[in-house]
Amino acid sequence: MKRIPIDKAVPGQVLAEKLTRHDGVLLAGQGSAITEGLLRMLARMNIDSVVIEEEESRSVEEVLEDFRRFTQDLDARFVRIEPQSVLQALKKTMLYLAEKDRDETLALINNPVSASEGSAEPPQGAAESVNA
Amino acid sequence: MPSQPAIQDRVQAKREVRRIKNLPTVPGIVAKISRMVENPETSAAEVGRLISQDQVLSAKVLRMANSAFFGMSRKISSISQALVILGFEVVKGLVLTSSVFDMIQKSMAGLWEHSIGCAAASGAVATLLGRDDAEEILVAGLLHDLGKVVLALNLPEEMNLVREKVKNGKVLFYEAENEVLDFDHSELGQWLAEHWNLPESLAEPMRLHHRPEKAVLKPECTAIVHIADIIIRAKGFGNAGDLLVPPVSMAAWEMLGLRKTDFLPILDILEPKLSSLCDITSID
Ligand SMILES: [Fe+2]
Ligand SMILES: [Fe+2]
């Protein structure tokens, strides 16, 4: 998901977060599509950005290639500090998040409908493996 | 000794710094605000009126105040409201940042992105630590590498030598600066901070973000900016001149009481902010 300014929002995009008025009143639920009417309403209320679901335009191969390049760049950035355990933990965390992102994206490509609904809680082991 | 030091010793290096003639002047409005804020009689409305006179500047400041940086649930629609909600120091920092924005962008490609990334990361670490001065620490992160702007604008030849040394992907920017000049951007930042009369909460992180264990006046703020600089470099967001993650100061790490498991929640706070900061990467 990503936050975009209201002038970049177009009808049909799917809200990744519920939209509320400044006083908390619900305007549109999570998962609902943006409409012309909603955009006019948001402009009137001075709401200047919305969070939308990102559409995945990459293929499976491209996602895997991007991930491979990411790990390569990550190794290059961390080339100097191999012995520092704090920085090793940081690197592991970065890697964990990238893997999670890769897997969610692949799930979205393989099964566009269910993936956006049932995104699971992060596995408990992730934080622990960082500490190991 | 490295083969091609532009300057032989430290004394001469200091002379070199003085040779810099066109040190950027403190933006007039920042100097005015500083004087006003020193006077306890000054009200938020008066400072607000002064900033509001410059419409372009106020628009930039409001844009940053409403950005994902601060995650305000309500829109801040005037400078005086920003002063009440964010406080004098933060608004002053934003005025300063808006004033030097063009300078940062022109000096080095990627430095502005590194700066806002480090700001967001400073805010994320401060938030995780439950600090109530998170906004001020964020502004310190925003301006921490301002010394690099002085280097790029005033010592272009030396800057090119530094760039050459960094190219192999094994040398940190500040190490290369020290080889070429015998000082680095943290000292240039300190010099600028003194010249501009910046508060210690900005000056000390500028001077000591690579040696945070030396900080005495704002040690925690400096330590947070140090960690934030490392986190944003680890993410590969922006470009601070080199693409390496520098070593972490264990003294700073331990002083803050951070644990290795804290990286995950910090990155969770940071990630959505970074993706929405694209709207202030060009604030004109
Ligand atoms: Fe730096
Ligand atoms: Fe930096």
Side-chain angles (χ1 to χ4, degrees):
Chain A
M1 61 186 190
K2 65 174 174 191
R3 181 172 289 278
I4 55 168
I6 202 75
D7 51 349
K8 296 265 161 60
V10 290
Q13 285 169 333
V14 176
L15 292 173
E17 278 175 11
K18 67 175 181 187
L19 255 179
T20 55
R21 223 163 59 181
H22 293 310
D23 59 6
V25 173
L26 185 71
L27 298 173
Q30 180 191 350
S32 60
I34 295 177
T35 59
E36 294 277 5
L38 182 66
L39 287 177
R40 277 196 299 275
M41 183 159 77
L42 298 182
R44 267 205 309 278
M45 290 175 173
N46 276 334
I47 291 175
D48 54 11
S49 67
V50 289
V51 181
I52 58 159
E53 294 286 2
E54 273 173 284
E55 284 161 55
E56 192 48 63
S57 54
R58 291 175 298 171
S59 68
V60 170
E61 291 71 29
E62 284 167 332
V63 171
L64 292 174
E65 173 59 21
D66 285 351
F67 178 76
R68 197 191 57 77
R69 207 171 300 138
F70 171 84
T71 55
Q72 229 175 34
D73 291 347
L74 192 66
D75 283 340
R77 292 201 286 273
F78 277 87
V79 74
R80 282 275 303 272
I81 45 76
E82 291 309 331
Q84 266 201 314
S85 73
V86 168
L87 291 184
Q88 276 171 349
L90 174 59
K91 190 180 172 189
K92 269 190 198 161
T93 310
M94 302 286 312
L95 199 58
Y96 158 70
L97 288 171
E99 282 168 350
K100 189 173 123 197
D101 189 51
R102 175 199 62 192
D103 294 344
E104 282 173 4
T105 310
L106 291 177
L108 198 68
I109 294 174
N110 293 330
N111 197 350
V113 183
S114 67
S116 60
E117 288 163 11
S119 71
E121 286 296 303
Q124 208 42 47
E128 280 146 31
S129 77
V130 165
N131 220 11
Chain B
M1 265 318 264
S3 57
Q4 203 187 8
I7 290 133
Q8 292 305 329
D9 57 36
R10 206 160 173 84
V11 179
Q12 203 179 337
K14 289 289 168 196
R15 214 173 290 145
E16 189 71 12
V17 171
R18 275 188 221 107
R19 203 195 61 175
I20 301 177
K21 284 185 279 302
N22 42 343
L23 186 71
T25 51
V26 61
I29 187 148
V30 177
K32 257 192 203 164
I33 297 171
S34 300
R35 280 198 299 275
M36 279 182 98
V37 175
E38 272 160 25
N39 179 355
E41 308 277 286
T42 306
S43 69
E46 284 172 89
V47 179
R49 263 198 301 278
L50 172 69
I51 302 173
S52 306
Q53 280 168 12
D54 186 333
Q55 286 188 8
V56 176
L57 182 68
S58 344
K60 285 180 179 175
V61 169
L62 286 178
R63 191 144 161 201
M64 279 197 276
N66 283 307
S67 73
F69 274 151
F70 301 108
M72 291 293 158
S73 52
R74 300 190 48 197
K75 192 173 166 95
I76 298 176
S77 48
S78 67
I79 293 291
S80 54
Q81 203 183 351
L83 283 162
V84 173
I85 296 174
L86 297 171
F88 278 128
E89 286 308 321
V90 172
V91 172
K92 213 167 90 183
L94 293 183
V95 170
L96 184 59
T97 306
S98 307
S99 318
V100 297
F101 165 75
D102 290 332
M103 232 155 52
I104 298 179
Q105 271 219 326
K106 272 179 209 140
S107 61
M108 273 170 79
L111 184 60
W112 171 250
E113 286 76 10
H114 171 69
S115 303
I116 58 170
C118 184
S122 301
V125 175
T127 304
L128 185 92
L129 292 171
R131 296 193 59 101
D132 50 17
D133 55 351
E135 286 87 4
E136 267 184 75
I137 296 175
L138 187 150
V139 175
L142 203 48
L143 295 168
H144 76 287
D145 268 343
L146 213 51
K148 288 180 182 166
V149 175
V150 180
L151 176 68
L153 295 180
N154 295 283
L155 300 168
E157 277 168 43
E158 287 81 354
M159 177 73 169
N160 282 338
L161 288 175
V162 171
R163 280 184 195 280
E164 275 308 309
K165 286 192 185 291
V166 169
K167 255 188 193 155
N168 69 4
K170 300 256 170 8
V171 180
L172 286 157
F173 197 82
Y174 68 79
E175 293 168 334
E177 288 175 315
N178 277 306
E179 273 187 40
V180 171
L181 292 158
D182 211 21
F183 58 83
D184 63 41
H185 64 277
S186 56
E187 285 159 271
L188 290 173
Q190 166 180 19
W191 194 45
L192 193 63
E194 280 169 16
H195 187 72
W196 284 4
N197 222 339
L198 298 181
E200 276 308 325
S201 60
L202 297 179
E204 202 166 45
M206 255 191 224
R207 174 168 78 240
L208 293 170
H209 62 274
H210 295 298
R211 290 172 296 152
E213 64 283 349
K214 296 245 174 5
V216 285
L217 298 164
K218 296 280 175 184
E220 284 160 350
C221 179
T222 306
I224 290 173
V225 172
H226 168 74
I227 302 290
D229 186 49
I230 287 170
I231 292 175
I232 203 64
R233 283 158 164 273
K235 276 197 69 68
F237 188 90
N239 186 340
D242 64 80
L243 293 175
L244 289 169
V245 178
V248 66
S249 158
M250 288 314 292
W253 176 263
E254 276 155 21
M255 183 193 63
L256 293 175
L258 283 166
R259 291 162 306 167
K260 291 171 190 169
T261 44
D262 290 332
F263 282 127
L264 195 57
I266 290 170
L267 287 163
D268 274 340
I269 303 173
L270 179 59
E271 192 62 50
K273 293 199 188 268
L274 286 183
S275 56
S276 26
L277 279 174
C278 53
D279 58 339
I280 60 159
T281 48
S282 58
I283 52 169
D284 39 26

